[in-house]
Amino acid sequence: SAPVPDPGLAPAPDAAAVRRAFAAWARRATPSAARPVLIVDQFEETFTLCAEEADRRAFIRLLHAACTPGGPDEPAPAVVLLGIRADFYEQCLGHPELADALQHRPLVLGPLTTAELREAVTGPAKAVGLDLEPGLAELIVREVGADGPRGAHDAGVLPLLSHALLVTWQRRKAGRLTLAGYRAAGGIQGAVAATAERAWSGLDPAARGAARLLLLRLVRLGEDTQATRRRGDRRRLTEESTDPRGTEESLEALVRARLVTLDAETVEITHEALLHAWPRLRHWIDEDRGDHLLRQRLEEDGRAWEASHRDSSLLYRGSRLEQARGWAATAGDTYLTRSAKEFLAASVRLRRRTLWISRGAVAALVVLAVLAAGSAVLAWQQRDDAVFEQVLAEADRVQYSDPSLSAQIDLVAHRLRPHDADTGNRLISIVNAPLATPLAAHTGAVYLTSFSPDGRTLATAGNDRTVRLWDVSDPGRPRPLGRPLTGHTSWVSSTVFSPDGRTLASASDDGTIRLWNVADPRHPTPLGTPLTRHDGTIYLIAFSPDGHTLAAANDDRTVRLWDLREPERPTVSATLSGYSEAVRSVVFSPDGHLLATGADDGTVRLWSMADPHRPARIGTALTGHTGTVHSVAFSPDGRTLASGAADDTVRLWNVADPRHPGALAAPLTGHTGPVWSVAFGPDGGPLAAGSADSTASLWNVSDPSYPSQVGEPLAGSSGEMYAVGFSPDGRTLATGSGDGRRRLWAGPTADVIGRSGAFRPDGRVLATAARAGRVRLWDVTRPDRPVSLGEPFLRGDGAERTLTFSPDGRTLAVLTPNREVYLWDVRDPSHAVSYGPPLLLRTRFSGPTALAFAPDGRTLATTYDDHTIQLW
């Protein structure tokens, strides 16, 4: 607490004077006999502030003198403790005093173990009399994750942890740090993102533009590496900006939010974790990455040109200059610094001078002019070839990370060269792939997407505290409807339409539910006052099929049922309790007789809704998940329930008899992050799942006992995939993600499920055998719209099938690996009828060609045993 003496950074400080000064300070600071400790944290940063080598040596001698006794009987006035990163040892070894300390008195601090990390969370709170809600410390330790050897934690996550605990402390209740406060802060990643988003939202539009440019100039992009932070000169950043006032305003806001560190002369992003934790900044970096690399290279080359006294040999020429000029023309002066603009202008002037010299030479030599013209044509063709190849390479680069963008680039390549066979084949190969139309729906994450019953309107709930409505009558050209619905004071977790489509309900982290009249979706109006009586976040809401009841899953470990027969005066009809942890998800069965819920304890529970005022618990909880159940969904027939959880899996449950439910098949796996949302298609065949791994997966669950994944996961999002939802006609899948965008996916229109098949001779019916072994018939009169005919037949045993139609198309023969041949009457493809018991064969091996009809259809040939062909 006493002031520390400042002897200055003289080239050769007097050691005795330094010791006397520190001794006097020690007597004032610590009257007891204990020696004071001087801590120089982050010594490498302090050390690098000394620009001159002489200043560095003087600074080291000053510290050394502070802890060196003046004589045998004179104790050292202080203990000096230096905090040094391991990668800074090399710079320290060049100074004898530091080399001696590192060799004889080091204390190595490794990454925190799980126990130490828990103590780092609970210890400071305990020291100042704060309590932690049970489970909070475990949740934090689990979210931090053990990445290092022997369960140690990566030190890079500690600044995020510090920030998350600070925001949790700011939300404390009665001297207690709560789970609700931690979740409201968004956890480890969400706290930094939320703070950054609040700082951004507090700026006016001009300052936001300046802040975006400022942050991008404090980021270094590599060609094939992740983005890293870079240190910038404050004066240069301000002087070179086209809006100095906006830059200063945004800089002050970012410094107050602890997102940017401001020194006397330098500016830098506080921690590289911000580059990954804040979705908006990550989106800026990933969006038009090539343009950012070009801008960064142009600024660096401009500064190098000025530093070399404007050496003309450093100016741009040729295609490099054309590329820079083309980008500058589209980006405008806003994205160029002063030195970059002057550098580019000088390059253009040099090009003009060179061009005039060339023209003079051409005018003097006509023959060379002809040759030059021919060379120019060749160069132009080469340039076209280079552009075309670059377009194809870019399409290939994003083929798996963003298939929709890859398809658009393939279309560009086809328009560049319509007669190129390769580009035509590329378009044919993706004609049936699921592609997306992206829309910047919100300024924060999109947590839920919901279609109106008529499929013409889409509602989205976002982290920016708003609900937005969209006209999706033409999914390829969606349009916003009216202004965003506001009123919630925190992020909106859920928004759903009533069954008649006239009412929209929205729930929020602020603990309220709001009702809106959307009979005219272009002019929605509030209905009554917000529904309260909730303690903490409301995670999901759901309407009953008759629209009279609204169920809400709450952070307070309950599910509340609201009677909405009079929407202007809703009342609580019942409260479902008995949960040990927060309830995350809720859904009604299609007939309204059941209610399913999912909770943080990893269980799914069923409730009878025969009397909505007296719901009754049915059976025991469905267990199997090892993490929070984030989403539950009933199939259209109400016989199957799907659940997605934080253990990265989706589970299917047979609830045909709700009093004796059971698991169907094995868990659906493949995602590498928690499953946030699950949704059935309107016909019950497809199931979609959205995950924190930034993808959504599609599953065929026509036979829930043998589910199979359809195609590759849907990718293209740069944030977690929080929401999935099918349109009523099943042709469109809406997804919402952490990058603030929602995407409308046009699903495959010509996909039929199966791993083997055969056409009827007239080509109008296709027989397929699914992975489970069941056989299905399809009407393929319109190949782009295949239609399933009747129910699948033949028992499912997981084995392969060989299928063959008779020449008249009336009989289908099915060969199984069990040496059995089944004959089916398929004159009516919608009602296949078995001809009787199967034909039994003796052969040990049945290949794909071991079954054939005679041309007249009256005789069937099979391999009878290993050496015999049998005619039937």
Side-chain angles (χ1 to χ4, degrees), residues 291-354:
D291 289 348
H292 291 319
L293 286 169
L294 185 59
R295 173 191 55 77
Q296 176 180 286
R297 191 181 305 116
L298 185 59
E299 290 177 357
E300 292 175 350
D301 292 343
R303 285 193 289 269
W305 175 65
E306 284 195 340
S308 65
H309 305 289
R310 304 197 171 193
D311 185 356
S312 61
S313 63
L314 299 179
L315 295 175
Y316 281 178
R317 293 170 174 80
S319 60
R320 194 172 187 183
L321 174 58
E322 291 296 332
Q323 186 182 21
R325 288 186 66 190
W327 172 81
T330 57
D333 291 343
T334 305
Y335 287 86
L336 286 174
T337 61
R338 176 189 53 78
S339 61
K341 286 191 290 187
E342 294 179 357
F343 173 76
L344 192 57
S347 299
V348 172
R349 290 194 299 270
L350 177 62
R351 180 180 180 276
R352 288 174 181 171
R353 289 196 302 269
T354 304

Side-chain angles (χ1 to χ4, degrees), residues 856-871:
D856 61 3
R858 300 175 60 86
T859 306
L860 177 71
T862 67
T863 50
Y864 187 64
D865 59 28
D866 292 345
H867 307 285
T868 307
I869 292 177
Q870 177 71 52
L871 301 181

